[in-house]
Amino acid sequence: MTLLAQLAEAVAAGTVEVLDLTAPLSSETPILNLPAPFSNTVPFELREISRYDERGPAWYWNDIVTGEHVGTHFDAPVHWITGRDGEDVSRVAPRRLVAPAVVLDASDRAAQDPDHLLQIDDVREWEAEHGPLPDGGWLLYRTGWDARSGDQAAFLNADETGPHSPGISVDCAKWLAEQTPLIGVGVETVGTDAGAAHGFDPPFPCHSFLLGAGKYGLTQLRNLDRLPTRGAVLIAAPLPIVGGSGSPARVLALVEREG
Ligand code: 23J
Ligand code: MN
């Protein structure tokens, strides 16, 4: 049997499970809210064209209105000034969109401290226990933040000092971008950077370093708690928006279950 025939059989039998890591897309899907003077994205919206009515008697369809960076989405290198000469989302090679993924779980610490920042030593410790970061693969950073994704206020967790959500330190973002073989970083939060990252030096270090290194971001993932620490295969499917800086994406994970 070929490898792909085996895979198809395993999916049918459930020994390879297909997990959906994507948040549902609706006008309720939380979106980023940058402070003045910066411009913001629009939320997702459906605009009905017809629904079995005089506008179209036998068909239902909608136009969609969305930002590129709404809901579970893919950040392409050109999203950031450091990656301005890099790939737009339509140019990301399909083989890059199927890749191994590992999970680093910091949900205990993020529950204690909503501003929790992942450090290089945390990743080194993880590697000592679980092996090296995958070459050409994703680091999925579990923080438990997906539990808040049904509620924009809880998800952004903003007070008078700005948003508070977990992320990655400046040093760690630079190290992940420049010293590891990762293809990118996936998170449960509204963006790959911490809520407070507008005040870091450089601001938004995940965006700055990872996209500057030609790497990618994935956001608003869910179901990371259902993934093994290593061994999952991620399928990230952003739309090939020509010239686009990113795109809402369907993100699936293939996971082996005990027969
Ligand atoms: C633009 C500016 C800052 C940030 C973002 C976008 C995102 O999080 C994003 O979705 O790429 S932090
Ligand atoms: Mn984005």
Side-chain angles (χ1 to χ4, degrees):
M1 209 170 27
T2 66
L3 210 54
L4 284 178
Q6 282 177 10
L7 173 63
E9 253 188 31
V11 169
T15 51
V16 168
E17 191 181 1
V18 183
L19 289 178
D20 197 346
L21 308 188
T22 318
L25 256 184
S26 78
S27 54
E28 308 304 310
T29 302
I31 55 170
L32 185 70
N33 184 21
L34 294 172
F38 305 119
S39 297
N40 276 297
T41 185
V42 297
F44 184 85
E45 185 191 333
L46 283 182
R47 291 196 184 152
E48 194 172 281
I49 306 170
S50 71
R51 193 162 196 157
Y52 330 118
D53 54 26
E54 67 288 350
R55 299 170 300 171
W59 49 93
Y60 167 53
W61 57 337
N62 300 292
D63 288 325
I64 59 174
V65 179
T66 185
E68 296 172 325
H69 298 259
V70 170
T72 302
H73 72 270
F74 186 98
D75 286 347
V78 289
H79 178 42
W80 221 253
I81 191 167
T82 48
R84 67 192 304 165
D85 298 323
E87 293 164 334
D88 71 58
V89 70
S90 73
R91 293 191 170 270
V92 177
R95 67 187 178 80
R96 299 261 168 215
L97 302 176
V98 180
V102 299
V103 182
L104 188 156
D105 186 355
S107 48
D108 287 352
R109 288 190 226 178
Q112 301 293 316
D113 175 14
D115 293 306
H116 175 68
L117 298 179
L118 185 71
Q119 307 294 336
I120 297 174
D121 280 350
D122 299 325
V123 185
R124 288 223 166 98
E125 217 170 273
W126 183 96
E127 286 189 295
E129 190 175 343
H130 301 291
L133 294 173
D135 195 359
W138 295 95
L139 174 63
L140 303 179
Y141 178 37
R142 167 143 175 84
T143 55
W145 216 254
D146 62 334
R148 300 170 176 246
S149 67
D151 175 351
Q152 165 97 0
F155 198 61
L156 297 186
N157 194 35
D159 62 17
E160 57 291 344
T161 64
H164 298 277
S165 57
I168 299 177
S169 74
V170 172
D171 286 353
C172 187
K174 184 171 166 65
W175 179 78
L176 290 172
E178 296 174 1
Q179 307 292 332
T180 76
L182 293 174
I183 195 177
V185 169
V187 300
E188 296 176 337
T189 42
V190 74
T192 54
D193 270 297
H198 57 92
F200 295 1
D201 181 20
F204 308 111
C206 270
H207 285 82
S208 183
F209 291 122
L210 284 155
L211 302 179
K215 296 185 175 184
Y216 311 127
L218 279 175
T219 69
Q220 289 194 47
L221 299 171
R222 34 170 78 181
N223 290 327
L224 295 190
D225 58 325
R226 299 180 59 193
L227 295 181
T229 302
R230 58 189 313 138
V233 170
L234 206 76
I235 302 169
L239 298 175
I241 300 168
V242 176
S245 74
S247 167
R250 195 71 181 258
V251 182
L252 304 175
L254 302 182
V255 176
E256 284 200 55
R257 296 295 177 210
E258 306 289 297

